[in-house]
């Protein structure tokens, strides 16, 4: 169960990470479109699990790995942007959000029947 504070911090991080990855994304990911779909933050606000959706889908895992390698840079940028709103910036763990692929696969299976 998440608290109001966790929800507020999650929404703030989702918004700011999305804007950062749109502006700096081509430098990090090679021109792929990245969407921050979900941010889940731990109860102590120390770790944030960030789920990313990548378009086009080929090479998405490599793209997420590249962002994960640069998590320190992303954290420092978030620190600069959010210094007046958050006291501590959480550690980021990036994951590929494959829910859209899962939905497409289910739709294809339903069409075949």
């Amino acid at each position: 169960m998440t608290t109001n504070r966790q929800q507020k911090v999650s929404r703030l991080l989702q918004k700011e990470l999305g804007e950062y990855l749109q502006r700096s994304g081509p430098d990090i990911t090679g021109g792929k479109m990245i969407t921050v779909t979900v941010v889940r933050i731990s109860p102590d606000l120390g770790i944030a699990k960030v789920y990313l959706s990548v378009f086009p889908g080929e090479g998405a895992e490599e793209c997420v790995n590249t962002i994960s390698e640069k998590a320190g840079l992303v954290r420092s940028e978030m620190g600069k942007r959010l210094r007046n709103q958050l006291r501590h910036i959480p550690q980021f763990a990036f994951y590929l959000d494959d829910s859209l692929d899962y939905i497409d696969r289910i739709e294809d299976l339903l069409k075949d029947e």
Side-chain angles (χ1 to χ4, degrees):
M1 185 164 190
T2 59
T3 63
N4 282 339
R5 181 72 176 152
Q6 284 175 289
Q7 291 173 356
K8 287 179 183 180
V9 171
S10 292
R11 285 192 304 261
L12 178 67
L13 287 173
Q14 183 178 3
K15 177 181 172 268
E16 291 296 327
L17 281 168
E19 288 177 6
Y20 173 71
L21 290 174
Q22 277 184 341
R23 292 194 178 120
S24 302
D27 298 335
I28 296 173
T29 62
K32 294 188 183 284
M33 188 174 82
I34 299 171
T35 305
V36 179
T37 55
V38 178
V39 176
R40 293 192 178 118
I41 193 153
S42 65
D44 66 350
L45 305 179
I47 299 172
K49 292 182 179 180
V50 181
Y51 293 88
L52 303 173
S53 177
V54 180
F55 184 80
E58 55 272 352
E61 190 70 38
E62 180 182 318
C63 180
V64 172
N65 289 337
T66 303
I67 294 172
S68 294
E69 291 171 1
K70 298 184 180 194
L73 173 67
V74 173
R75 185 174 185 227
S76 68
E77 286 297 319
M78 288 299 106
K80 291 175 188 173
R81 288 173 173 240
L82 302 173
R83 67 176 174 257
N84 295 327
Q85 296 165 344
L86 291 177
R87 182 173 292 170
H88 299 288
I89 304 299
Q91 297 286 331
F92 293 116
F94 294 99
Y95 299 97
L96 180 63
D97 183 13
D98 57 353
S99 60
L100 293 177
D101 296 333
Y102 182 70
I103 290 170
D104 287 340
R105 192 172 66 111
I106 289 174
E107 287 179 355
D108 288 343
L109 290 172
L110 291 173
K111 286 179 184 176
D112 289 343
E113 292 182 7

